[in-house]
Amino acid sequence: MIARNYLNYAVKYRIASALTLTALLAACGSSVPLVETKPEPTLPNLLKLEPTPAATLLTGNFFCELGNKVDLASGTDGAVKLNWKGRSYPMTTVSTTTGAVRLEDKASGLVWIQIPAKSMLLNSKLGQQLANECKLR
C-alpha cells in the first residue's frame, strides 16, 4: 500500500513538473514585443583609483637578499636601463594606482617595482621573484 501511494505521488510530481516546464517554455516563446532598452549609465569611480604620480625613481646599485645585485640607470632622454646578471634591459614606466614606481620590459618579462622601503625584481612570464629586499648602498 505504501509503495502504491509513493508511485502515485511520483507520477503526480512528474506530471506537475512536465506541465510547469511546458508552461515556462510556452511563455518564453510568446510574441510580446520587446522594449528598446538603453545601456545603464556607468557609475562614477567612487574609490578614486586613478593612476597617481609615481614616486621619484631611485637609480644606482641595488644590493638584494641572497647576494643578488641590480643596477638601475636613467639616461638623459628619460630611458631607463636595468642591468641584471650581466644583461641590460630597456625598461618602460608603467603608471600605478599606488604611487609605486613600476618599470617593465615586455620582451623579457622583467618587472621592477620600487617603493620607499625596498625594491624587487620579478619575472612576469614565469611568475617568479628574481630579487627581493633590494636597497641602495
Side-chain angles (χ1 to χ4, degrees):
M1 187 73 166
I2 294 175
R4 178 181 260 181
N5 286 340
Y6 177 75
L7 285 175
N8 285 338
Y9 174 76
V11 170
K12 289 178 184 177
Y13 179 75
R14 286 186 182 167
I15 291 172
S17 297
L19 290 175
T20 303
L21 181 61
T22 305
L24 286 173
L25 290 173
C28 290
S30 68
S31 60
V32 175
L34 297 176
V35 177
E36 185 176 326
T37 59
K38 295 181 181 178
E40 290 288 325
T42 58
L43 295 175
N45 186 354
L46 299 175
L47 297 177
K48 307 283 187 220
L49 293 178
E50 289 85 20
T52 59
T56 305
L57 174 67
L58 299 175
T59 58
N61 300 324
F62 289 83
F63 294 89
C64 313
E65 64 183 8
L66 303 176
N68 290 310
K69 183 180 171 189
V70 177
D71 297 323
L72 202 61
S74 62
T76 56
D77 59 352
V80 178
K81 293 280 185 197
L82 183 135
N83 292 309
W84 165 254
K85 295 199 174 190
R87 294 192 60 197
S88 181
Y89 301 92
M91 306 298 280
T92 57
T93 305
V94 177
S95 65
T96 65
T97 58
T98 61
V101 174
R102 181 182 172 108
L103 304 172
E104 288 185 7
D105 176 33
K106 298 266 188 206
S108 65
L110 290 183
V111 176
W112 176 256
I113 297 176
Q114 195 176 83
I115 59 175
K118 66 176 183 174
S119 300
M120 66 180 71
L121 183 64
L122 310 168
N123 185 325
S124 63
K125 288 185 176 180
L126 300 176
Q128 293 177 335
Q129 273 190 11
L130 302 175
N132 198 358
E133 297 288 333
C134 301
K135 297 180 181 180
L136 280 172
R137 287 196 190 160

